[in-house]
Amino acid sequence: MPVLHNLVSNEELRARMLAESEPRTTVSFYKYFTLDDAKAFRDALYVALTKLKVFGRVYVASEGINAQISVPASQYETMKAMLYAFHPALDNLRMNIALDDDGKSFWVLRLKVRERIVADGITDDTFDASDIGGYLKANEVNAMLDDPDAVFVDMRNHYEYEVGHFDNAMEIPADTFRDQLPMAVEMLKDDKEKKIVMYCTGGIRCEKASAWMRHNGFENVYHVEGGIIEYARRAREQGLPVRFKGKNFVFDERMGERISDDVIANCHQCGAACDTHVNCKNDGCHLLFIQCASCAEQYKECCSPICMEELALTPEEQRARRAGRENGNKVFNKSRGKLTMTLKIPSAE
């Protein structure tokens, strides 16, 4: 029986990936469909993807699949054909190819079974995730942006919205998708007669959010087909104005794709214009925050003098200092007014 999980250290795998000479393509995809045996589906897919030297993060659940991966360029078409034939629901699956890609986004394949492919916190048994809003293509998105009766709703987290969004888009100020869903219903309760346009990175969150809004009595609900990634790609291909401003945050080593030249965020340490996300170099913190080059030099790639001090200690002293310490939120949120200890870069939810 083949090994169905990784047996090599992250350090060695990353070194192997960086030493590769063949370019890689970073691609994301998702599909809501019913799986009777998610574990069997996961195991068979792990074998198939491993044969094609695919790296990345894939979640499988009874409600479908959600993936962010990289594949050797020469294997992309083979992988796509394999996925189309792997399950009837995946036939003609939409692939969101990365816009700003150096092929170094992942170095290991992690394929996990989860309760949901997007953690939504929904416990209502009458909710129908397939009753989604209407898809909007790039030209339709631009038309909606000029419609005074349309409200654009960003279904991403604060740190994603901060570096890039559509003009005048509403931010739902919660740290998780599960918290955003009820908040969106409350914030939009007086706009039920308007056209509600929801968007996210690649479409998976806004598609489910559109169904949730319809479940809660909103009738004129739409969502951007393929999310920001597909919108920007199609707008460029068709010679349309790209109306998304700034960067699109992505959940891999790149941490962002440049959509426009606009820099709409600021360094969390000095306030200079900047939209570069980094993780604090102190492994006991690893906070996700925005840091300019000047502050990176001043703080030695750390989020604070405290982390600079801790980073300079011996490994034994660091472990002693961290023992029993409670870690806070995973990302910097300016609404809290301070940098807080954390663990690691979050995954898309």
Side-chain angles (χ1 to χ4, degrees):
M1 182 175 179
V3 176
L4 301 179
H5 57 86
N6 175 54
L7 299 175
V8 184
S9 71
N10 280 335
E11 292 77 13
E12 182 175 343
L13 288 169
R14 188 169 191 273
R16 289 181 186 178
M17 179 272 291
L18 292 173
E20 288 183 348
S21 57
E22 180 178 357
R24 282 181 166 268
T25 300
T26 299
V27 60
S28 60
F29 59 85
Y30 73 91
K31 182 74 173 182
Y32 288 106
F33 64 102
T34 301
L35 271 174
D36 295 328
D37 191 340
K39 175 64 165 56
F41 181 94
R42 177 266 174 205
D43 290 350
L45 185 60
Y46 186 94
V47 172
L49 292 177
T50 299
K51 288 179 180 178
L52 298 175
K53 299 183 179 179
V54 171
F55 301 150
R57 183 189 304 116
V58 184
Y59 299 134
V60 172
S62 60
E63 67 171 2
I65 186 171
N66 178 21
Q68 299 89 39
I69 60 174
S70 80
V71 57
S74 65
Q75 296 293 336
Y76 174 72
E77 292 299 330
T78 301
M79 182 203 69
K80 189 165 68 169
M82 179 275 292
L83 287 170
Y84 285 0
F86 196 80
H87 188 284
L90 301 182
D91 188 25
N92 290 318
L93 177 70
R94 184 183 60 245
M95 301 284 185
N96 288 332
I97 299 175
L99 301 169
D100 183 15
D101 184 21
D102 62 3
K104 306 299 183 183
S105 49
F106 300 100
W107 60 82
V108 64
L109 176 61
R110 303 191 190 282
L111 211 167
K112 299 181 179 180
V113 174
R114 285 187 159 189
E115 183 177 350
R116 302 281 177 90
I117 55 174
V118 176
D120 54 32
I122 296 173
T123 58
D124 187 343
D125 292 337
T126 67
F127 171 64
D128 181 2
S130 67
D131 183 22
I132 61 175
Y135 284 120
L136 292 180
K137 298 185 182 300
N139 63 317
E140 296 168 322
V141 172
N142 285 359
M144 281 286 198
L145 284 165
D146 294 326
D147 188 336
D149 290 325
V151 179
F152 273 67
V153 184
D154 195 313
M155 291 308 297
R156 302 172 303 151
N157 301 322
H158 166 77
Y159 55 89
E160 300 172 79
Y161 180 93
E162 186 175 13
V163 296
H165 52 259
F166 286 107
D167 281 341
N168 301 317
M170 177 183 291
E171 178 186 6
I172 308 299
D175 288 334
T176 65
F177 182 64
R178 62 169 64 86
D179 292 333
Q180 283 183 316
L181 289 175
M183 191 177 292
V185 171
E186 176 63 24
M187 291 175 67
L188 292 162
K189 64 182 180 182
D190 296 327
D191 294 316
K192 285 198 172 184
E193 301 305 313
K194 293 188 175 181
K195 301 165 187 173
I196 307 300
V197 180
M198 319 197 88
Y199 72 90
C200 59
T201 306
I204 187 169
R205 287 174 283 181
C206 54
E207 182 164 320
K208 180 172 280 188
S210 74
W212 181 248
M213 299 304 285
R214 288 180 56 79
H215 182 72
N216 281 275
F218 292 79
E219 295 183 2
N220 298 316
V221 183
Y222 304 86
H223 54 110
V224 177
E225 184 176 12
I228 299 160
I229 298 173
E230 185 71 1
Y231 163 77
R233 175 178 300 284
R234 295 302 181 188
R236 290 171 181 172
E237 288 177 353
Q238 297 166 25
L240 302 172
V242 177
R243 304 281 293 274
F244 185 92
K245 298 292 175 59
K247 266 186 177 179
N248 180 30
F249 186 94
V250 291
F251 294 88
D252 57 50
E253 287 297 296
R254 298 169 298 151
M255 292 196 199
E257 294 180 326
R258 174 66 60 193
I259 305 296
S260 79
D261 293 334
D262 305 88
V263 178
I264 65 174
N266 303 94
C267 174
H268 289 156
Q269 290 171 313
C270 73
C274 180
D275 57 9
T276 301
H277 273 104
V278 298
N279 287 109
C280 179
K281 196 170 184 178
N282 175 17
D283 287 336
C285 172
H286 213 50
L287 181 78
L288 178 67
F289 70 110
I290 297 174
Q291 185 180 56
C292 69
S294 177
C295 287
E297 181 178 359
Q298 178 181 347
Y299 291 97
K300 301 188 184 304
E301 302 178 49
C302 291
C303 70
S304 65
I306 293 175
C307 279
M308 287 175 60
E309 176 187 333
E310 187 167 294
L311 186 64
L313 300 175
T314 66
E316 293 75 16
E317 291 171 327
Q318 289 180 25
R319 284 193 291 271
R321 177 175 288 196
R322 297 167 188 165
R325 182 170 70 200
E326 291 187 6
N327 286 290
N329 293 287
K330 293 181 178 180
V331 297
F332 175 82
N333 189 328
K334 61 185 177 185
S335 68
R336 298 188 183 89
K338 63 180 180 179
L339 296 171
T340 53
M341 283 294 191
T342 186
L343 288 174
K344 59 184 178 180
I345 181 172
S347 60
E349 306 194 329

